[in-house]
């Protein structure tokens, strides 16, 4: 997605060979116009797949996911990382190791909002080693719902998550695929995925 790649080049900050900071439009300040485009792109890539719910992980997945949910005209559920006083019963959980925070969180959603009748589109901001998405898949599949696919805003294709998920048979649609962050430069992948 050219608009996203342009934004990454102009505003992304390469923190190391493995980490890209995009605080100015996705991870802290949010660019709503770009998020609307991102949501529209996910919605069109998964059009006709019978999506009934969008599921993401708080907090950075929420902006792109809510835009996709709006355009698909379905609810968004965000898995929570923190314990909540008001959300206690009927919780489905998974352990997720955070690539950026280097800690394990128990992420939860309420079984009230996803069930075996649902067809779910999972969305997240970044895909690195795939732990966050694997956790979301685990929770969604515990409900008996079908995972129709995974929408990622920025996939770091030099890490293993995308390969592992695709090998397991999940459809992963990434709007920007980064081949390398070496020497402080963002290089996008030209690879065509079939
Ligand atoms: P994974 O679970 O696939 O290893 O990592 C994905 C999660 O870690 C995403 O939810 C995202 O929040 C975070 N993450 C991974 N790599 C990066 C990165 O390069 N930059 C930022 N800002 N977040 C990342």
């Amino acid at each position: 997605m050219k608009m996203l790649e342009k934004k990454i080049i102009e505003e992304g900050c390469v923190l190391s060979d493995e980490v890209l900071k995009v605080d100015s439009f996705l991870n802290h300040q949010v660019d709503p116009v770009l998020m609307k485009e991102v949501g529209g792109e996910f919605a069109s890539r998964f059009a006709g797949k019978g999506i009934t719910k969008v599921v993401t992980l708080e907090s950075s997945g929420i902006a792109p996911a809510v835009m996709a949910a709006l355009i698909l005209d379905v609810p968004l559920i965000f898995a929570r990382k923190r314990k909540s006083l008001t959300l206690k019963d009927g919780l489905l959980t998974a352990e997720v190791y955070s690539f950026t925070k280097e800690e394990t969180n128990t992420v939860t959603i309420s079984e009230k909002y996803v069930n075996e009748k649902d067809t779910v589109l999972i969305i997240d901001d970044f895909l690195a080693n795939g732990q966050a998405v694997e956790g979301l898949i685990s929770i969604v599949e515990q409900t008996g719902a079908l995972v129709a696919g995974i929408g990622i805003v920025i996939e770091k294709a030099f890490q293993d998550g995308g390969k592992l998920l695709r090998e397991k048979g999940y459809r992963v649609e990434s709007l920007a695929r980064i081949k390398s962050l070496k020497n402080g430069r963002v290089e996008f992948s030209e690879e065509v995925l079939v």
Side-chain angles (χ1 to χ4, degrees):
M1 192 184 163
K2 287 293 161 211
M3 183 182 181
L4 175 63
E5 289 185 0
K6 186 166 177 275
K7 194 81 167 173
I8 292 170
I9 295 293
E10 286 172 359
E11 297 185 20
C13 178
V14 178
L15 292 188
S16 70
D17 286 358
E18 296 211 320
V19 180
L20 177 71
K21 184 173 172 179
V22 289
D23 274 24
S24 70
F25 62 91
L26 181 57
N27 290 145
H28 191 25
Q29 176 171 257
V30 171
D31 179 339
V33 175
L34 178 63
M35 289 306 115
K36 195 171 155 211
E37 293 297 319
V38 161
E41 185 65 29
F42 285 137
S44 78
R45 291 192 192 195
F46 288 95
K49 297 293 171 203
I51 308 292
T52 60
K53 303 272 164 67
V54 174
V55 169
T56 190
L57 183 58
E58 69 170 348
S59 54
S60 292
I62 295 176
V66 77
M67 288 301 183
L70 177 71
I71 297 163
L72 288 165
D73 194 21
V74 299
L76 160 71
I77 297 100
F78 62 88
R80 304 178 75 137
K81 290 179 187 161
R82 287 165 220 72
K83 287 207 177 75
S84 159
L85 286 176
T86 55
L87 196 67
K88 274 188 175 160
D89 300 326
L91 293 182
L92 299 162
T93 64
E95 297 294 307
V96 171
Y97 177 77
S98 165
F99 176 79
T100 43
K101 300 204 173 74
E102 298 182 331
E103 62 185 28
T104 299
N105 287 301
T106 304
V107 306
T108 57
I109 63 172
S110 164
E111 60 188 12
K112 230 163 101 183
Y113 298 117
V114 184
N115 62 49
E116 71 283 354
K117 295 197 186 96
D118 284 314
T119 299
V120 173
L121 170 60
I122 290 174
I123 286 183
D124 204 9
D125 59 340
F126 272 89
L127 179 60
N129 296 315
Q131 305 253 351
V133 168
E134 296 264 16
L136 292 175
I137 290 173
S138 155
I139 297 182
V140 169
E141 291 184 346
Q142 284 172 55
T143 71
L146 177 75
V147 175
I150 295 139
I152 298 292
V153 183
I154 304 172
E155 175 180 346
K156 290 181 294 175
F158 57 87
Q159 290 171 303
D160 277 343
K163 186 169 167 276
L164 294 174
L165 292 166
R166 290 181 181 103
E167 276 173 4
K168 286 184 182 172
Y170 293 103
R171 177 174 168 200
V172 182
E173 291 286 338
S174 302
L175 305 191
R177 294 188 79 236
I178 293 175
K179 187 164 132 190
S180 163
L181 291 174
K182 291 225 166 82
N183 305 316
R185 267 192 66 239
V186 179
E187 201 185 328
F188 293 105
S189 170
E190 305 291 339
E191 186 189 0
V192 179
L193 297 171
V194 282

